[in-house]
Amino acid sequence: MDTPTSRACGVHAARLNLADYANNFSDAHPPLTRPQALIEAERCYYCHDAPCATACPTGIDIPSFIHRIAQDNNRGAARAILEANPLGGMCARVCPTEVLCEQACVRNTNEDKPVEIGFLQRYATDAFFAKPGAPLFQRAAPTGRRVAVVGAGPAGLACAHGLALRGHDVVLFESRPKLGGLNEYGLASYKTTDNFAQKEVEWLLSIGGIEVRTAQRLGRDITLDGLLGGFDAVFLGLGLQGVNALGVAEPTATGLRNAVDFIAELRQSADLSTLPVGRRVVVIGGGMTAVDAAVQSRKLGAEEVTIVYRRGADAMSASRVEQQWAQTHGVTIRHWAAPQELLCEGGAVKGMRFAASALRDGQLVETGETFTLEADMVLKAIGQTYVAEPAGKAIALQGGRIATDEAGRTSLARVWAGGDCRAGGRDLTVEAVEHGKLAALSIHEALSVPVALVA
């Protein structure tokens, strides 16, 4: 009989019992109960000019929404959140609050524990989405202006919502079957249970005035010139489509995958037991994608999972909380090691050789020592890149991404950009939302200026 035990080696599906999959991919951080939320809300000092609100990229009035929770006014709390961040429900789940608002909480100076702002934000937004009632926001009168938004990730969704709210007609173009971008395809399943990403998208679209067109890829199905010819303005929320190479030879081999593809496949799977995973998995990288891929490999039944990063723990873009999360879920993190050779046999991955690395005079160098990790699956999570070709050469780049001003204007007239494709960002969902918000306001102001008549 073909059982998980008989197929322990190599890349295989069905490594666990069905009940184990359900348990492993349940909500990683269960929401606060009502008594817990009220107690936590009472811990807030409701500061004037609160540093937590300043630290929030979207500028949510945190003391205000927490005070409303304390008053048992969850709808009011949700309004305070969503008017500043229309994707506040998802951000409550995935935002690194420990290095943003909670790090700025004044309770850190008097106690060891800040107010759990992220959990409270989720409590308020969950309560609203469970019983939304009357619409929170009313769309302004139609302006007769049309805007194309390319990319339905956090930046594009926030921009579309902001424009529709102000009365503009928006056509939202998305290359994939579902809206949401990384919220739908790029986050660990245990962070976004119960199809929450799509529930939030459905609410956001309920403002009206947003037409959705999926399976529309820039450079294939639509062009920037074409959009500029048919719309008053264009917003580009293209994300990062390229994946960085390992820097060593990458032969075609079973078991070598991009971590983002692995995560996307997992997120879209209706039956996790059908997803293949290796017995020994190596994840190369040091960011949130590396952590999500590694932990989910363990939860799919991998026996040994190792994250390998070329620098030290402090240099990892994954927060300390995320690193600890990985380690407490059976993932080993090895620092100061750079990929040297992918080892294959019979067209399948068998391991990877690494060179020990170190900092010398500020430069990362190899020490001459090497070691090998056995693996039947290697996941690449060493960052993504912006692919410029679809948008064309007319848009100036900075550091390989689209150059913009603070409002998101690009070098090309009537074109704005935001999210991960925009230069200078931190690749955070909450920051992408702010990009979309600011661009929507800038576009609105530009479209509100009367057009001079030509004699």
Side-chain angles (χ1 to χ4, degrees), residues 340-392:
Q340 189 177 62
E341 182 184 3
L342 184 68
L343 306 177
C344 302
E345 182 179 310
V349 170
K350 291 301 179 183
M352 176 157 274
R353 182 175 294 112
F354 294 89
S357 57
L359 278 179
R360 291 178 182 167
D361 299 324
Q363 298 294 317
L364 188 69
V365 299
E366 296 181 3
T367 66
E369 300 176 15
T370 64
F371 66 92
T372 299
L373 292 178
E374 293 184 12
D376 36 39
M377 178 177 275
V378 172
L379 299 175
K380 300 184 294 180
I382 51 178
Q384 295 176 263
T385 57
Y386 170 65
V387 179
E389 287 77 12

Side-chain angles (χ1 to χ4, degrees), residues 33-59:
T33 63
R34 180 171 177 271
Q36 288 172 331
L38 294 176
I39 291 171
E40 191 62 25
E42 292 292 350
R43 294 185 61 239
C44 181
Y45 289 141
Y46 312 125
C47 305
H48 179 67
D49 292 332
C52 59
T54 302
C56 174
T58 56

Side-chain angles (χ1 to χ4, degrees), residues 70-418:
Q71 295 173 325
D72 219 10
N73 177 12
N74 294 330
R75 180 180 173 85
R79 183 183 184 91
I81 295 164
L82 295 173
E83 64 187 3
N85 183 343
L87 293 170
M90 183 61 77
C91 287
R93 288 163 164 75
V94 303
C95 185
T97 54
E98 67 276 2
V99 297
L100 294 172
C101 55
E102 291 177 13
Q103 187 177 62
C105 178
V106 296
R107 276 200 176 271
N108 284 318
T109 61
N110 299 318
E111 302 178 12
D112 293 331
K113 184 174 179 289
V115 175
E116 292 185 333
I117 298 170
F119 278 113
L120 288 172
Q121 182 170 317
R122 176 178 174 179
Y123 175 81
T125 52
D126 279 3
F128 169 72
F129 286 122
K131 296 181 179 180
L136 281 181
F137 309 114
Q138 293 294 327
R139 187 175 181 230
T143 64
R145 298 300 190 103
R146 299 177 74 236
V147 181
V149 174
V150 185
L157 288 170
C159 185
H161 185 266
L163 289 166
L165 188 64
R166 293 173 172 88
H168 306 297
D169 291 326
V170 178
V171 178
L172 185 56
F173 297 90
E174 169 56 39
S175 62
R176 285 176 152 169
K178 296 181 182 179
L179 309 188
L182 287 178
N183 287 357
E184 174 61 37
Y185 293 96
L187 300 172
S189 294
Y190 51 77
K191 294 179 178 178
T192 58
T193 57
D194 300 324
N195 203 31
F196 181 79
Q198 291 309 304
K199 292 177 182 177
E200 190 171 54
V201 166
E202 183 180 353
W203 169 80
L204 186 143
L205 295 177
S206 70
I207 190 67
I210 304 174
E211 176 188 346
V212 173
R213 299 182 189 177
T214 56
Q216 296 293 300
R217 183 182 297 278
L218 188 66
R220 184 191 68 188
D221 308 292
I222 53 175
T223 65
L224 186 54
D225 286 343
L227 294 176
L228 287 171
F231 293 86
D232 296 296
V234 176
F235 175 83
L236 301 176
L238 302 174
L240 304 175
Q241 301 301 320
V243 177
N244 289 330
L246 290 174
V248 299
E250 297 183 24
T252 300
T254 302
L256 177 63
R257 299 196 63 183
N258 294 327
V260 290
D261 296 336
F262 173 74
I263 293 171
E265 182 181 356
L266 199 156
R267 279 293 302 275
Q268 300 308 305
S269 176
D271 183 0
L272 297 177
S273 69
T274 65
L275 293 181
V277 70
R279 185 165 71 92
R280 294 189 179 98
V281 179
V282 170
V283 182
I284 302 173
M288 298 283 281
T289 298
V291 170
D292 283 355
V295 173
Q296 291 191 117
S297 294
R298 281 285 290 157
K299 288 178 176 289
L300 284 173
E303 295 177 16
E304 298 177 13
V305 180
T306 306
I307 292 175
V308 182
Y309 182 58
R310 65 180 63 229
R311 296 179 183 270
D314 292 340
M316 293 180 69
S317 57
S319 68
R320 284 287 188 177
V321 169
E322 286 290 323
Q323 293 178 49
Q324 292 168 1
W325 170 260
Q327 290 168 325
T328 56
H329 284 78
V331 176
T332 299
I333 301 179
R334 295 193 65 161
H335 301 106
W336 303 110
Q340 189 177 62
E341 182 184 3
L342 184 68
L343 306 177
C344 302
E345 182 179 310
V349 170
K350 291 301 179 183
M352 176 157 274
R353 182 175 294 112
F354 294 89
S357 57
L359 278 179
R360 291 178 182 167
D361 299 324
Q363 298 294 317
L364 188 69
V365 299
E366 296 181 3
T367 66
E369 300 176 15
T370 64
F371 66 92
T372 299
L373 292 178
E374 293 184 12
D376 36 39
M377 178 177 275
V378 172
L379 299 175
K380 300 184 294 180
I382 51 178
Q384 295 176 263
T385 57
Y386 170 65
V387 179
E389 287 77 12
K393 299 179 180 179
I395 297 179
L397 303 183
Q398 177 186 341
R401 303 192 191 190
I402 298 176
T404 73
D405 64 10
E406 289 297 316
R409 295 184 190 87
T410 72
S411 60
L412 189 60
R414 298 193 291 129
V415 178
W416 283 253

